[in-house]
Amino acid sequence: MTWSTGCAGFVAGLLIAVVTAPVGVSGAVFLLPVQLSVLGVPSPAVTPTNLLYNVVAGPGALIRYARNGSLTGPLTTRLVLGTLPGVVVGAVVRVFVVPGPGIFRVLVAVLLLPLGLWLCLRTLRPPRRDPDVTRQHPSGPSVTVLALAVGVVGGIYGIGGGSILGPILVGLGLPVAMVAPAALAATFMTSVVGATAYALLALAANGPIAPVWFLGLACGLGGLLGGYLGAHLQPRLPETALRLLLGGLATAIGLLYAVQAVT
């Protein structure tokens, strides 16, 4: 890896994190195709490299959210308890089973494309509600099970999970301001465990399994700065704008993987 590649990774991490951090998405899902197609990271090393990006970039947004008290609450704990064991399972599957990326891309496209469009439509044209009906939020166990499944996916493909958890939880009725810090905290903790798991598995398996340290650190430093700036912007954005941003990101991710799945 050259210094020009590292600078390109820094800029990519910075720009992506500024846009995605306000809605609880680390940006690794957008960085993944950049690393594969532009920066030339081999597979499966791209997965732990993406996790390394999350580890370095995560504290930027989390420090900002901690300062305004957004990290407190049970949602963060439930997401972390689910994603941590899931990412270890996903790392083992990625190294020893090596599933093809085609099925994953189809599943992500099928899930996030309609969900993103639905979030945007529901935000622009909210349904009428009976003021006497109390809105039901997802239960604690169901959130933990969801986080476990997303953790496995994050461990296999190095996307952190916030890009999936965020749209689903907001779609279930939770406010973006509550979901974003919790999703980023879960992504950070998951990425620490996942990157460590890949580093250990690299000792027992052949091939490019360990992360590309230089590039992961360069992208992560850009994400560290971008995440802090993005989290700083979040309180200044109305809930409607945040929901539209999250819906737009989910739609973009779905389209990206749909195109990749058919090409």
Side-chain angles (χ1 to χ4, degrees), residues 129-255:
R129 295 178 182 172
D130 186 341
D132 296 328
V133 176
T134 302
R135 182 166 182 80
Q136 297 294 322
H137 293 310
S139 64
S142 63
V143 169
T144 303
V145 171
L146 170 65
L148 176 64
V150 172
V152 173
V153 173
I156 296 174
Y157 297 101
I159 63 172
S163 58
I164 298 176
L165 284 171
I168 293 177
L169 292 175
V170 171
L172 291 174
L174 295 178
V176 177
M178 178 190 298
V179 170
L184 283 174
T187 295
F188 173 71
M189 295 298 295
T190 299
S191 299
V192 170
V193 174
T196 303
Y198 272 98
L200 294 175
L201 289 169
L203 302 176
N206 297 322
I209 296 171
V212 180
W213 294 97
F214 174 70
L215 184 60
L217 291 172
C219 294
L221 289 174
L224 181 71
L225 177 59
Y228 185 88
L229 295 174
H232 179 73
L233 291 173
Q234 195 217 51
R236 293 164 173 77
L237 298 174
E239 175 74 10
T240 298
L242 291 172
R243 290 175 66 92
L244 287 174
L245 176 58
L246 182 58
L249 289 175
T251 302
I253 295 169
L255 284 173

Side-chain angles (χ1 to χ4, degrees), residues 76-148:
T76 300
T77 303
R78 290 166 183 162
L79 294 184
V80 171
L81 288 176
T83 54
L84 285 185
V87 72
V88 176
V89 174
V92 173
V93 171
R94 182 67 176 98
V95 171
F96 294 106
V97 181
V98 194
I103 295 177
F104 167 71
R105 289 168 179 166
V106 171
L107 290 176
V108 171
V110 170
L111 173 66
L112 290 186
L113 183 55
L115 181 59
L117 293 173
W118 178 79
L119 270 178
C120 292
L121 180 62
R122 190 177 179 88
T123 302
L124 294 173
R125 300 181 61 182
R128 295 181 179 179
R129 295 178 182 172
D130 186 341
D132 296 328
V133 176
T134 302
R135 182 166 182 80
Q136 297 294 322
H137 293 310
S139 64
S142 63
V143 169
T144 303
V145 171
L146 170 65
L148 176 64

Side-chain angles (χ1 to χ4, degrees), residues 10 13-22 53 57 60-61 220-233:
F10 177 87
L14 171 67
L15 296 177
I16 290 171
V18 168
V19 176
T20 59
Y53 160 80
L221 289 174
L224 181 71
L225 177 59
Y228 185 88
L229 295 174
H232 179 73
L233 291 173

